[in-house]
Each structure stands twice: as structure tokens, then as C-alpha cells.
Amino acid sequence: MWDRNQMAARAAQELQDGWYVNLGIGIPTLVSNYIPEGIEVTLQSENGMLGMGPFPIAGDEDADLINAGKQTITELPQTSYFDSAQSFGMIRGGKIAMAILGAMEVAENGDLANWMIPGKLVKGMGGAMDLVAGVGRVVVVMDHTNKHGDSKVLKSCTLPLTGQSVVHRIITNLGVLDVVEGGLRIVETAEGVSEQQLRDATEATIV
Amino acid sequence: MKKIYPNAAAALDGLMHDGMFIASGGFGLCGIPELLLDAIKTAGTKDLTFASNNAGVDDFGIGILLQTKQVKKMISSYVGENAEFMRQYLSGELELEFNPQGTLAERMRAGGCGIPGFYTKTGVGTVIADGKEHKDFNGQTYILEEGIVADLAIVKAWKADATGNLMFRKTARNFNPPAAMCGKICVVEVEEIVETGSMDPDHIHLPGIYVHRIIQGDHEKRIEQRTVRSA
């Protein structure tokens, strides 16, 4: 079974040289620690930045320089800044090759739910709906089951959707699945996880 | 025409009325028009509708206007960091319209560009699409979203000249240009007013045509999530 860092490292294998990529909050943020040697990717922060650098060293924080999670960050030599309309213009316009996002539920048809639990405090979708509708490829990174042991990889989502048929690949602590015609296809299993274990933890149809 | 005003209260004089619609720049606490928000609190204008990506925190940003119950409705994409907001929302005192972040930005930009509506894929198949016109283009389904025109835009920039040409700094630009564009009147607060002609015309981010009143002041520029790495 993969831990958070191993899931992030696996997700980093999805990156291709020259891509512009958006990383969500949580495990997806860790992906930037594992970008493979020889692969150059430019990270977009949807509040208005391409070329996101690492967190600053103490004392170098700048209130005018934050990421989409509102954390202080730094710039790189290739960094550019722009306003929110242009930022989401490049997202909606398909210029961002891939988004790596967390999720509460994913369905076998690629439906994604990651913004709202009815009856619980709703904070808002932020840029998630725009990202999943606009970018070239959506990769979800999440635990395969919730804390009660129930599958988060479902036949159909029970929570309100963030996007309809938008997910291409799911990376969980148990393995990697692709959304294909008729259901999900197992791409690989995590170290120490059998295909049967992956199937047993998955409610969705595996083809 | 003189655009520079001595302070935020003077810059808002004659512009405020109960029930008005205000578009505000800022993302989180970054690049928010903190001086103008303070002045709106002092002015005591009520039943305000705000188009703003976020609602600040309890004691900073739009949060200070929630404390004084001056806000009737928020149009935002994310409001998670504000306890008073949640209290008023859950008790029904405050109306909330969630817009996806890019849809909100484009609604402002479009409104400022004379575009009353646009079609987007964002939100198709979600609750955001409920009740909205759907239309297919090239085999893909889109929904109609409407442009925003606000009574007033309040904006934070880094530098202005006397004619209102603006430069922003780093990610503090965010929603400020689209908010400025969608206001019938736009009031801007800056850290520095520079001599007209001292900014390279090629480096101006927002031309002064969008800017009607300008003030200069000291900004707290609070950091919401101070995050560092070891050296």
C-alpha cells in the first residue's frame, strides 16, 4: 500500500516534459517534490501565476505572493503573473495540460465529487469546477476508501458533482485505475496490494 | 479631471447607498482593498451585495462588514475562513451565491467589456447549471452565465499615476483588474502614487480609463497562511 508521499511520487510519473500543470491542495501539492529528473513542468497557481516556486525561507515571506491554498510561495526565473480572468481563461481554454486533484468520490464514468457534503458546512468550489471542465487531463489522487472503509471509487457519485465525466486516471493508496468505456481498468497495483484486494475495495465496475 | 483623493472616506463620498452592488478585488487576504473596506464600515452603508472571490476572515477584509451586518448577499467561490460568515449564512441572515472561481472572474470581465452573457463548460452537470440555459457547440454542452456590472468596484493596486494607470504586484493582481472593469465607478487604493510618465506605458497592467478615484495609504497586507521551508 502506498502512503501519501508514495501516491504523490506515483502521480509525478504522469508529468511530461514541457507541460503546464495545476496541482490541487493536499497530496497533489506533494507531487512537486517528485518531479522526475529531466522533466520540466511549469506549475500554475490559479490565483494568477505560472512558474510557482517552493515555499520561502523564513523571513522571505511576501504577502503579495501566495498560491491557491493562500500559502506563501516564491517565484522562479520563468515566473509570470496575470489576473484571475486570464488565469481561468488559460484553464477553460485547455492550455493547462493536466490537473492533479484530490477527491471525496469518483465514479466509473469519470464523475468527480470534491466540493460539497450536503448537511455539512459548504465552503465553496473555488476553482475546482473550472479546472476539471477545462484542463486537458484530470488525475485524481486520493485514499481508495473513507475512514469507515467504504469505497470512494463508485458506480455513481452520491455527493454533488464538481464535474461530469471529467476524470481520466485515479491514483489511490491501492493502485492506479483508468476511466475507460464501460468502467475502470486497472493500470497497476501498489506494492503489496493484490489485484483482488484492489477489486474488493472498489465499488465501481472494473473491466 | 482630478482622480486623486486625500483618503478612503473622501474617495467614497457621494458613491454609497444602501442596497448597492459592489465588486471587490482580492484573493483570500491578498490584494484586498483593505482601506476602502474600512471606510465602507465607517460609512455604515447597509444591505450590500458583494461580488468577491472570498469573504475575508472575521477581523479583516469583507469580514469586518459582516461583523457590522452591512452585507446582505455574497457572490463568491470560496468562503471557508470566516466563522461569522458561516453563522450568518446558516441562520439565514446572509444570502450566498456560489460561483465557480473562473466563472466569477469572467462574469466581471465580461460585464466590463459590454458582454451580457457567455457560454462555459464549467459547472455543466452540477448544481451550478440548475436553471441555466444549456447549449451545444461542436458536440459539447455549455451553460449560459451572465456578465456582472457593479455599482461600484473597489480595487487594490501597487502603483498608480495621477491618470489612474495601474500596476499590480505579483499574485496580488488576482481579481482586481476584472473587478475594476465591471464597476460603473472604480475606486482604487494603492501603496504608491508615482509621477505620470514614470511608469513605462508598456508595463501598465490596467489603463486609467477604468479608474475614477485613487487614494494612497499604508496597508497591513496580512498573510493568511505563512508557510516556509527550512533554509
Side-chain angles (χ1 to χ4, degrees):
Chain A
M1 213 185 312
W2 287 325
D3 64 20
R4 287 164 58 86
N5 284 299
Q6 288 168 316
M7 287 158 71
R10 177 58 189 83
Q13 301 298 315
E14 302 293 313
L15 301 169
Q16 291 186 23
D17 193 40
W19 272 9
Y20 292 85
V21 174
N22 185 292
L23 302 179
I25 292 165
I27 300 172
T29 304
L30 300 174
V31 171
S32 62
N33 298 332
Y34 299 97
I35 297 169
E37 198 77 25
I39 300 278
E40 269 185 42
V41 296
T42 302
L43 301 180
Q44 197 232 23
S45 189
E46 67 265 26
N47 50 319
M49 178 185 199
L50 278 167
M52 186 167 39
F55 297 132
I57 55 171
D60 283 353
E61 309 94 318
D62 184 335
D64 290 337
L65 183 44
I66 63 169
N67 64 18
K70 286 133 191 172
Q71 297 169 307
T72 44
I73 48 165
T74 54
E75 62 187 22
L76 301 169
Q78 73 268 32
T79 294
S80 57
Y81 299 108
F82 33 84
D83 68 58
S84 300
Q86 185 167 14
S87 182
F88 283 91
M90 65 183 72
I91 289 168
R92 207 186 295 104
K95 315 300 179 188
I96 304 290
M98 184 166 77
I100 303 178
L101 302 167
M104 298 171 184
E105 294 178 347
V106 182
E108 62 192 45
N109 67 346
D111 285 0
L112 169 69
N114 71 353
W115 78 284
M116 176 180 183
I117 300 174
K120 290 209 175 155
L121 223 48
V122 183
K123 294 183 170 186
M125 72 291 284
M129 284 189 183
D130 308 276
L131 279 162
V132 299
V135 303
R137 186 170 168 79
V138 175
V139 174
V140 161
V141 182
M142 64 174 191
D143 283 329
H144 207 92
T145 55
N146 65 21
K147 56 175 180 267
H148 307 295
D150 302 323
S151 184
K152 294 167 67 173
V153 185
L154 305 171
K155 290 189 190 306
S156 66
C157 290
T158 64
L159 297 170
L161 296 186
T162 307
Q164 199 172 41
S165 300
V166 291
V167 176
H168 296 88
R169 177 165 279 193
I170 308 163
I171 298 172
T172 76
N173 51 332
L174 302 184
V176 181
L177 298 145
D178 272 350
V179 177
V180 296
E181 192 69 36
L184 303 178
R185 186 175 60 82
I186 296 173
V187 178
E188 65 189 77
T189 57
E191 280 85 36
V193 176
S194 70
E195 191 177 313
Q196 193 56 48
Q197 281 173 303
L198 181 59
R199 284 173 179 271
D200 289 347
T202 305
E203 191 219 78
T205 311
I206 291 178
V207 295
Chain B
M1 188 183 139
K2 196 170 154 21
K3 295 188 178 181
I4 298 172
Y5 284 68
N7 55 55
L12 293 176
D13 187 43
L15 302 181
M16 305 302 296
H17 61 87
D18 290 352
M20 71 189 297
F21 183 12
I22 302 174
S24 175
F27 176 87
L29 303 181
C30 179
I32 58 171
E34 51 182 275
L35 306 175
L36 291 162
L37 289 167
D38 261 337
I40 292 171
K41 179 182 172 184
T42 305
T45 320
K46 294 229 170 344
D47 296 326
L48 300 172
T49 294
F50 267 95
S52 169
N53 191 56
N54 311 94
V57 293
D58 280 324
D59 64 341
F60 199 59
I62 290 175
I64 63 169
L65 302 178
L66 294 164
Q67 300 286 348
T68 51
K69 301 200 167 60
Q70 288 173 262
V71 182
K72 181 182 72 178
K73 180 178 176 181
M74 293 293 310
I75 304 171
S76 304
S77 84
Y78 190 84
V79 294
E81 318 303 337
N82 192 317
E84 177 62 14
F85 182 100
M86 283 301 168
R87 193 199 63 72
Q88 289 184 25
Y89 173 56
L90 293 172
S91 71
E93 294 166 53
L94 181 70
E95 206 180 323
L96 171 61
E97 178 187 320
F98 276 128
N99 280 192
Q101 195 174 329
T103 294
L104 180 58
E106 188 63 14
R107 289 185 68 195
M108 292 181 182
R109 196 198 70 84
C113 293
I115 297 170
F118 58 92
Y119 290 97
T120 176
K121 258 194 296 190
T122 302
V124 170
T126 77
V127 294
I128 292 304
D130 290 350
K132 288 176 182 157
E133 185 197 324
H134 289 58
K135 191 174 165 87
D136 287 2
F137 296 87
N138 301 319
Q140 301 244 36
T141 303
Y142 297 74
I143 54 172
L144 178 66
E145 296 280 4
E146 293 183 1
I148 285 175
V149 177
D151 297 318
L152 171 68
I154 55 172
V155 161
K156 157 75 173 44
W158 180 36
K159 293 179 180 180
D161 67 21
T163 72
N165 291 323
L166 301 183
M167 285 181 74
F168 300 90
R169 187 170 175 276
K170 305 187 186 287
T171 58
R173 193 182 318 184
N174 57 58
F175 273 82
N176 283 296
M181 291 166 71
C182 82
K184 291 177 195 162
I185 296 277
C186 173
V187 182
V188 178
E189 59 181 67
V190 298
E191 295 173 46
E192 192 183 348
I193 294 175
V194 300
E195 200 176 326
T196 302
S198 70
M199 289 191 285
D200 183 335
D202 271 330
H203 294 172
I204 288 164
H205 297 135
L206 192 75
I209 190 168
Y210 295 107
V211 175
H212 304 94
R213 300 184 181 188
I214 308 156
I215 58 158
Q216 183 271 325
D218 295 328
H219 291 82
E220 177 185 338
K221 299 214 287 185
R222 194 182 293 186
I223 294 176
E224 200 164 344
Q225 305 277 350
R226 188 179 299 274
T227 313
V228 297
R229 68 187 144 104
S230 37

